[in-house]
Amino acid sequence: MKYVRQFLIILFISLMGEILKYFLPLPIPASIYGMVLMFAALKSGIIKLASVKETAHFLIDIMPIMFIPAGVGLMDSVGTLKSILIPVFVITVVTNITVMGVTGRVAQAMRKGADAHE
Amino acid sequence: MNDFFQNSLFAGVTLSLLSYILGMMLKKRFKIALFNPLLISIAVTIAVLLVAKVDYSAYNAGAKNLSWFMTPATVCLAIPLYEQWELLKKNYKAVLLSLLAGTLTSVFTILLLSMLFKLNHTEFVTLLPKSITTAIGMGVSEELGGYVTITVAVIVMTGILGNVFGELICRLFRITDPIAKGLSLGASAHAIGTAKAMEIGEVEGAMSGLAIAVSGVLTVIVAPFVAKLL
């Protein structure tokens, strides 16, 4: 029963996310609204951590396999990408490196700065 | 074979999981970034589908049930975030500023390279939301008049690259702090990068999950202005 109840709570919050998406005209997906709602519910004590924990960790644990179908979908998009394949590839690789480098270095530098002040 | 896949509930999912396990075994044996279970499973699944002459749509008729879990799983990213709340509160400035810097780096790198490759406006705005999570990225691409299907493909490519090479890139830039690592994975490779961050550690995972939401929203705000530049 524990897992049924936990799964129900998670699905209910996902549904609330869908409802918000339906009424708000922003390009923000139901999952992000749901994430915010779940966080707010935990923080305010409406939902106890113990009443979602195990199922949540299970879902997060198996998250990588949820991306396999989308990745396999690349076999169909190679055709449409053909004309700009090389620029797209270069942009994807370069942006990955610059974004990771900048985000990580800025965060790390600010963390070190904060520690130095303490 | 195509017909069988089309009507099967389990063929697509089983093939996907089987190839993922194969990827995990290879990773354990060889410990090379390229032997990434997600990458291997996608490659093996595509190869099997091509050899067996099964269309993607037939495969996806069953495999889409895996994607169904994506929304509840993303909702669950709030749990590690809640568990790491004190750490987040203490570092909120570093979190917000680094994610803003990352978002701006993303859109301006794309702008610069699009100019270099002489891409037209439609191609440029198609690529603009490539670092953020699929569902938000699709919305941005549509709003700006991009090719949504290509946007999705590029977002997935970005995520897989981040998942495979994320740890290597962190090492390259000497990013060792768990918070910084998580933020950079989430900011550049969204949910697929977060899957990797979760494997590295709890703090990395929580920060990466947070980065998906914050970078996504920042891109929604910034993209329309940057789109006018090309």
Side-chain angles (χ1 to χ4, degrees):
Chain A
M1 266 314 276
K2 183 171 95 182
Y3 293 106
V4 177
R5 204 174 295 134
Q6 293 195 348
F7 195 47
L8 171 65
I9 292 174
I10 293 164
L11 287 191
F12 181 75
I13 301 257
S14 306
L15 171 66
M16 298 290 286
E18 274 186 333
I19 292 171
L20 272 182
K21 187 187 161 49
Y22 183 80
F23 286 108
L24 298 174
L26 301 168
I28 291 175
S31 58
I32 299 290
Y33 286 128
M35 187 174 150
V36 174
L37 285 175
M38 178 65 96
F39 184 80
L42 285 166
K43 203 76 195 104
S44 62
I46 297 172
I47 294 174
K48 295 265 173 293
L49 183 60
S51 44
V52 286
K53 195 172 177 179
E54 286 84 2
T55 307
H57 282 298
F58 169 70
L59 283 174
I60 291 172
D61 197 50
I62 64 164
M63 213 170 165
I65 62 167
M66 300 169 197
F67 300 107
I68 299 173
V72 174
L74 289 176
M75 71 188 267
D76 269 8
S77 20
V78 170
T80 36
L81 274 171
K82 214 180 263 165
S83 60
I84 50 169
L85 197 58
I86 292 167
V88 166
F89 186 73
V90 173
I91 291 174
T92 305
V93 172
V94 173
T95 319
N96 247 322
I97 297 172
T98 56
V99 174
M100 281 197 69
V102 169
T103 310
R105 290 302 295 197
V106 169
Q108 196 160 283
M110 289 193 64
R111 290 253 299 146
K112 285 211 177 107
D115 284 349
H117 282 296
E118 275 169 9
Chain B
M1 203 62 167
N2 206 46
D3 281 350
F4 179 76
F5 262 83
Q6 185 77 53
N7 295 309
S8 167
L9 280 170
F10 304 109
V13 176
T14 310
L15 172 63
S16 305
L17 291 194
L18 207 64
S19 49
Y20 191 81
I21 298 289
L22 180 73
M24 277 171 60
M25 283 160 62
L26 280 172
K27 185 187 161 194
K28 215 172 155 190
R29 180 106 171 66
F30 295 104
K31 302 204 187 316
I32 303 172
L34 216 56
F35 286 118
N36 169 293
L38 183 62
L39 185 68
I40 300 278
S41 64
I42 291 167
V44 170
T45 304
I46 290 180
V48 171
L49 294 181
L50 289 177
V51 169
K53 293 195 170 53
V54 175
D55 294 335
Y56 174 68
S57 59
Y59 156 81
N60 203 36
K64 67 167 188 274
N65 295 304
L66 274 178
S67 315
W68 183 89
F69 283 97
M70 219 145 30
T71 298
T74 309
V75 169
C76 290
L77 290 176
I79 279 90
L81 202 59
Y82 173 74
E83 290 171 326
Q84 304 293 337
W85 175 244
E86 287 307 318
L87 195 64
L88 174 65
K89 215 164 64 181
K90 211 177 128 204
N91 294 289
Y92 79 97
K93 270 189 204 152
V95 170
L96 286 181
L97 250 152
S98 62
L99 291 178
L100 180 63
T103 302
L104 292 177
T105 305
S106 174
V107 291
F108 283 107
T109 310
I110 296 165
L111 173 67
L112 219 72
L113 290 174
S114 298
M115 285 171 158
L116 207 69
F117 283 113
K118 299 189 171 58
L119 297 186
N120 62 37
H121 176 77
T122 311
E123 289 162 348
F124 167 56
V125 296
T126 297
L127 298 181
L128 204 47
K130 66 167 270 302
S131 294
I132 60 175
T133 192
T134 320
I136 305 186
M138 281 169 72
V140 172
S141 175
E142 201 176 343
E143 198 110 325
L144 300 175
Y147 304 114
V148 178
T149 48
I150 298 187
T151 302
V152 173
V154 178
I155 289 175
V156 173
M157 257 170 68
T158 303
I160 296 168
L161 267 169
N163 186 300
V164 176
F165 295 110
E167 285 179 290
L168 196 75
I169 298 172
C170 278
R171 230 175 295 146
L172 194 73
F173 285 96
R174 288 192 210 89
I175 301 165
T176 50
D177 180 61
I179 294 184
K181 244 189 210 174
L183 291 172
S184 62
L185 271 164
S188 69
H190 48 90
I192 311 183
T194 300
K196 175 51 107 190
M198 286 289 174
E199 286 171 26
I200 303 177
E202 299 229 328
V203 174
E204 285 87 343
M207 292 300 148
S208 190
L210 175 71
I212 300 177
V214 176
S215 301
V217 172
L218 285 175
T219 304
V220 170
I221 300 168
V222 171
F225 297 102
V226 182
K228 292 202 179 84
L229 300 177
L230 183 76

